[in-house]
Amino acid sequence: MSDQPTGRHSAREIVALVADDSTFAELPLSIRNPRPDGPLAWPGYDASRARAAERTGEQESVVCGTARIGGARAVLIAFEFGFLGGSLGQRTGDLLEAAYTYAREHRLPVVPLVATGGSRMQEGMLALTQLQRVARQSALTREAGLAQVAVVRDPTTGGGWATLGAGADVVLALPGAQVGFAGSRVRPADADPAAYTAEAQLAAGAVDAVVRPEELREALGRWLPLLTSPSGTPAPPPEPLGGSGGLPGTGWDAVRRARSPRRPRAAAYLDAYFTHRVAISGDRCGGTDPDGMLCGFGEHRGRTVAYAAQTGTATRPAGYRTAARLIRLADRLGIPVLTLVDTPGAANDAEAEREGAGAAIADLFVAVAGARTPVTSLVIGEGGSGGALALAAPGNTWATADSYFSVIAPELAAAILKRPPREVEPTADQLRIRPQDLVELGVIRGTVGP
């Protein structure tokens, strides 16, 4: 993937890049007649707008319409950066509100194609308050259970990033695009410009993927059908991928099998379960956990299922927050969730504490407990204490034969009880952590496989 800045596309050009051929239809939206030189009577404002209109062929900084993308119909909001830097004014707010209203009335997802420098100075605070209008429309669209998938272009800064961009359910970005709340002319003089890029926002958990312009239509064509296919039927647990050795004979045998490097991990289960899938990335709080938690949406037997899957490593706070974000998004969209439990436990180093491990785990417990959409869980390896339980669905958790679930690892239990190392294996039996023990105790619903 190139790290070079992309060329700046006009509003019509970016629409042509993402929309299926000949499907874009501009919405017949009306805009207010401006006062002379705007609400602040800013000298020369009318002349600036006239020059912008002549240069771009547009009457405002956004173009709104409907189109099909990968066959899925959506409302598109395309910013024209050539029109006063894609800035937001009162008339921009009128167009945005009307576009979101149309989307709700016709039950369509919204795809903002953002390129803006922020609010329009010539309209002062009346321009800045348009962000509140945008936030309100976004909130109403969320409440209506409709998806918002933003594409942030070069540049996306200021309030446009903080509302239409970062506020979307899924955020895609063009490579090399300038993305950040602070624009290039207002950030500190010694600021590292690399921190204000699409790639930096991806690393910080604020962007889900960086996508080349020529791949946007395909990417949106995968996302939109998945996010617009609600279902009230629980996701079935995956079939086991491990060997046919039967259930473990002892507690320590269960631990040994779950820790085997040959045991299938989350990626293998997801590949087998889904026809295709797309991933979300980041907790929207500055963190990612790509090595510990995989989250996204996929197609299973013709319908959408969301997934949050631990990978067998100690899960970090950003991983728990990303999973909570995934579950809440799926809940709003009416999409069932599959979780795969596999961790020796939550990361417990000093950095994890500084990153808010306890609060992140608590938030995931609440997200699972409060979900109205059905959640199905499968323990595929280690189920280490509360760091694993946070991802497990109460009343609908299953387990494979090569897994265990325990209040604490047997070694740590023996240490806490002041038992010698030779007592670790008997302690594993006492904890009753085998899949069949968990079924008998009523902790899980059943085992999968023969």
Side-chain angles (χ1 to χ4, degrees):
M1 181 176 295
S2 171
D3 291 331
Q4 296 302 312
T6 58
R8 287 181 179 172
H9 301 91
S10 71
R12 306 284 172 173
E13 289 170 342
I14 196 69
V15 166
L17 270 178
V18 303
D20 295 348
D21 294 344
S22 303
T23 63
F24 179 72
E26 193 166 353
L27 293 175
L29 306 177
S30 60
I31 55 178
R32 69 180 72 186
N33 292 319
R35 301 173 188 173
D37 281 330
L40 305 185
W42 187 285
Y45 183 32
D46 280 350
S48 295
R49 281 192 295 208
R51 288 193 297 270
E54 182 179 2
R55 182 170 57 250
T56 64
E58 309 296 349
Q59 294 304 304
E60 249 305 329
S61 58
V62 292
V63 174
C64 305
T66 62
R68 292 193 177 276
I69 306 176
R73 193 161 174 252
V75 167
L76 272 60
I77 299 171
F79 276 73
E80 175 54 69
F81 189 77
F83 193 102
L84 301 181
S87 56
L88 281 77
Q90 286 183 304
R91 296 199 306 176
T92 323
D94 294 342
L95 294 175
L96 294 173
E97 182 173 313
Y100 272 98
T101 300
Y102 185 94
R104 291 193 299 275
E105 289 174 347
H106 294 83
R107 304 294 303 166
L108 297 176
V110 180
V111 180
L113 306 166
V114 190
T116 174
S119 301
R120 196 168 296 171
M121 291 180 297
Q122 296 94 331
E123 296 186 23
M125 279 300 299
L126 291 174
L128 190 65
T129 58
Q130 301 310 304
L131 303 180
Q132 295 173 322
R133 292 180 73 186
V134 173
R136 175 63 176 164
Q137 292 306 311
S138 178
L140 291 172
T141 303
R142 284 171 175 257
E143 291 174 7
L146 300 171
Q148 299 171 70
V149 181
V151 176
V152 292
R153 301 148 55 203
D154 184 40
T156 297
T157 61
W161 165 236
T163 52
L164 290 152
D169 299 316
V170 175
V171 183
L172 309 179
L174 297 188
Q178 178 187 175
V179 181
F181 185 66
S184 59
R185 298 185 183 183
V186 298
R187 66 182 67 136
D190 59 350
D192 179 7
Y196 302 84
T197 63
E199 290 75 13
Q201 297 292 352
L202 176 65
V207 162
D208 291 292
V210 175
V211 182
R212 294 174 181 271
E214 62 270 22
E215 296 170 350
L216 269 179
R217 184 183 299 182
E218 180 183 357
L220 289 169
R222 291 194 301 268
W223 273 107
L224 291 174
L226 289 172
L227 297 181
T228 54
S229 302
S231 171
T233 304
E239 294 297 318
L241 299 180
S244 56
L247 294 169
T250 67
W252 188 248
D253 185 32
V255 173
R256 180 182 54 80
R257 290 170 60 176
R259 292 177 179 173
S260 169
R262 296 183 297 275
R263 175 181 57 78
R265 262 49 180 190
Y269 273 93
L270 296 175
D271 287 344
Y273 192 80
F274 291 111
T275 305
H276 65 275
R277 55 190 172 96
V278 291
I280 69 167
S281 176
D283 61 4
R284 297 300 187 261
C285 299
T288 62
D289 186 17
D291 297 325
M293 185 75 77
L294 306 176
C295 295
F297 295 82
E299 181 183 301
H300 176 73
R301 296 179 183 173
R303 67 191 185 104
T304 302
V305 174
Y307 65 86
Q310 291 169 318
T311 64
T313 65
T315 308
R316 303 206 62 82
Y320 291 113
R321 285 191 287 262
T322 303
R325 174 192 159 211
L326 180 282
I327 290 168
R328 289 193 172 103
L329 174 55
D331 193 41
R332 286 205 321 269
L333 301 179
I335 294 171
V337 177
L338 169 70
T339 70
L340 301 180
V341 177
D342 185 10
T343 181
N348 58 7
D349 52 54
E351 187 63 25
E353 293 298 335
R354 285 191 288 266
E355 293 170 352
I361 295 169
D363 191 46
L364 180 55
F365 268 117
V366 170
V368 173
R372 296 159 297 178
T373 197
V375 181
T376 303
S377 300
L378 178 65
V379 187
I380 63 171
E382 292 195 81
S385 194
L389 187 65
L391 201 60
N396 197 26
T397 293
W398 304 75
T400 64
D402 48 2
S403 70
Y404 78 89
F405 218 148
S406 180
V407 63
I408 195 170
E411 298 94 331
L412 298 178
I416 291 171
L417 296 171
K418 299 181 179 179
R419 294 178 176 180
R422 66 176 180 274
E423 293 296 319
V424 169
E425 295 187 20
T427 300
D429 285 331
Q430 284 186 283
L431 288 168
R432 301 199 65 191
I433 60 179
R434 301 175 303 169
Q436 61 266 44
D437 296 325
L438 301 171
V439 174
E440 185 178 341
L441 292 169
V443 174
I444 66 173
R445 187 169 173 180
T447 59
V448 295

